[in-house]
Amino acid sequence: MIVTVTMNPAIDKTVEIGRLIPGGLNRIKKAESDAGGKGINVSKTIRELGGVSIATGFLGGSTGKAIEDFLDEKKIRHDFVLVEGETRTNTKIVEENGAVTELNEPGPQIREDEMDRLMEKLISYAKPETLVILSGSIPKGVDKQIYARIIHLMHEKGAEVLLDADGELFRNGLLERPDMVKPNRVELEEYAGIDHRASNDELLALARELRENGIKKVVVSMGKSGAIFLQDDYEAISPALSVKAYSTVGAGDAMVAALACAWDQKLTAKETIRLCMAASAGAVTTTGTKPPEKKVVEELMQQVVIKKAEN
């Protein structure tokens, strides 16, 4: 069983313009909306890849109802805690050159009793052969130790955890040794206090430190430079695939979804890499936060190159 947790979901509104003019008039060429939030994006891709997940977290108001309706339409199982306040709407401005500007609302204030209800749900799902995915930001009223608390509770029940977060949420969560992590280059640089663009060798060394601290699988996504994969004693770097990129939004979530599907299907390390790289590349060819189509992912898997990590 795969459970995705989205504490701060959103309706993702993507607008296309020629070039962003700060302080000036910007005419929108195209606009579309989609149910989003990192965990929900993961569930969408898992569904497209033929897998099954349960999406949970917090939803509120008419925006939350719209997200539930979307998940029902896509036949994605969900079990959210309904809260007071309105689920946020995030706006992503996509320019012709591929640059993306994101305007993210803060989301509703979460009460203690609402947090307790979510924890009860997660505990009810947690058991051996369950993977809980913690990804994205948290809303107001939730403390920065929450992911660490959830990891601890899930491990007590025998479940595994995949952590995809940044900043303090990532740092605190690592103390509880999640089973898998997928930081991107910037997130890992921030965690390590690096004030320059880290080289692949530096990122590999940092990934090794995470693995040595008890994390079974470490994946570092590096955008156009590809990704680093560490699983047990297997270490590899896979270059990014050459595709016609539309937007990088959702590429990381697609990779997390592929990691979860690989875990569920008990794929080998090399099979995992092929699926992750193909899903991530497929995601950048889609509009908004739409998941990559399964047939596109299967075609791209044949193009994935895997190199032994050395330094």
Side-chain angles (χ1 to χ4, degrees):
M1 176 190 296
I2 300 171
V3 180
T4 65
V5 181
T6 312
M7 293 198 187
N8 216 3
I11 289 292
D12 284 330
K13 183 177 181 179
T14 303
V15 299
E16 298 177 20
I17 62 174
R19 180 175 64 87
L20 180 64
I21 305 173
L25 174 64
N26 292 273
R27 296 190 184 280
I28 296 173
K29 296 181 177 181
K30 182 182 177 182
E32 59 181 289
S33 297
D34 200 0
K38 292 182 72 64
I40 289 174
N41 291 341
V42 171
S43 279
K44 284 153 55 177
T45 302
I46 289 173
R47 171 68 179 172
E48 184 62 35
L49 294 177
V52 176
S53 68
I54 299 173
T56 188
F58 300 115
L59 288 178
S62 59
T63 308
K65 179 63 167 58
I67 290 177
E68 285 190 306
D69 290 344
F70 170 88
L71 295 174
D72 286 338
E73 179 186 342
K74 297 298 182 180
K75 295 181 172 54
I76 296 173
R77 293 177 60 189
H78 58 88
D79 185 16
F80 282 85
V81 173
L82 301 182
V83 301
E84 292 186 3
E86 190 77 20
T87 294
R88 62 192 181 144
T89 296
N90 292 340
T91 303
K92 304 177 190 301
I93 304 170
V94 181
E95 300 177 58
E96 286 181 349
N97 63 5
V100 179
T101 301
E102 300 191 44
L103 305 174
N104 290 353
E105 296 179 6
Q109 178 88 20
I110 301 302
R111 302 194 312 257
E112 185 176 349
D113 64 301
E114 293 167 338
M115 188 71 245
D116 290 343
R117 284 160 56 199
L118 178 60
M119 297 297 278
E120 289 171 3
K121 285 184 185 293
L122 293 177
I123 290 172
S124 71
Y125 286 123
K127 55 189 174 185
E129 300 301 318
T130 297
L131 176 65
V132 177
I133 301 175
L134 304 174
S135 54
S137 64
I138 56 175
K140 294 176 292 185
V142 180
D143 69 73
K144 295 294 182 68
Q145 295 287 344
I146 188 61
Y147 283 170
R149 284 174 53 205
I150 292 174
I151 294 168
H152 182 82
L153 288 171
M154 297 303 97
H155 282 169
E156 283 188 336
K157 297 292 184 178
E160 296 187 35
V161 180
L162 194 168
L163 177 65
D164 179 25
D166 62 5
E168 201 172 345
L169 286 169
F170 181 65
R171 189 176 301 108
N172 293 340
L174 289 180
L175 298 178
E176 292 293 338
R177 295 180 176 82
D179 303 270
M180 293 179 257
V181 295
K182 194 222 68 67
N184 61 33
R185 176 192 292 275
V186 174
E187 291 163 351
L188 197 54
E189 289 170 347
E190 180 186 3
Y191 165 73
I194 295 175
D195 59 2
H196 61 273
R197 182 179 172 83
S199 67
N200 286 6
D201 286 348
E202 288 177 300
L203 294 174
L204 176 59
L206 290 170
R208 284 171 173 165
E209 287 181 17
L210 294 178
R211 184 186 56 188
E212 290 166 2
N213 286 334
I215 299 172
K216 300 173 187 175
K217 187 178 298 184
V218 180
V219 179
V220 183
S221 54
M222 304 183 295
K224 293 181 179 179
S225 298
I228 294 171
F229 293 83
L230 275 65
Q231 180 177 345
D232 301 321
D233 294 329
Y234 187 82
E235 299 181 351
I237 295 179
S238 185
L241 296 177
S242 178
V243 296
K244 184 177 180 180
Y246 185 87
S247 169
T248 59
V249 174
D253 299 332
M255 185 171 283
V256 169
L259 274 172
C261 288
W263 170 89
D264 191 44
Q265 298 170 28
K266 296 179 172 55
L267 299 185
T268 66
K270 287 187 177 181
E271 290 170 336
T272 297
I273 294 172
R274 293 189 188 282
L275 183 60
C276 286
M277 296 303 296
S280 182
V284 306
T285 68
T286 66
T287 59
T289 55
K290 289 181 173 57
E293 293 183 8
K294 185 177 181 180
K295 63 179 181 180
V296 172
V297 173
E298 290 173 342
E299 291 169 1
L300 290 172
M301 286 176 68
Q302 308 307 313
Q303 303 175 29
V304 174
V305 174
I306 302 173
K307 301 179 180 179
K308 183 177 180 181
E310 295 178 330
N311 70 350

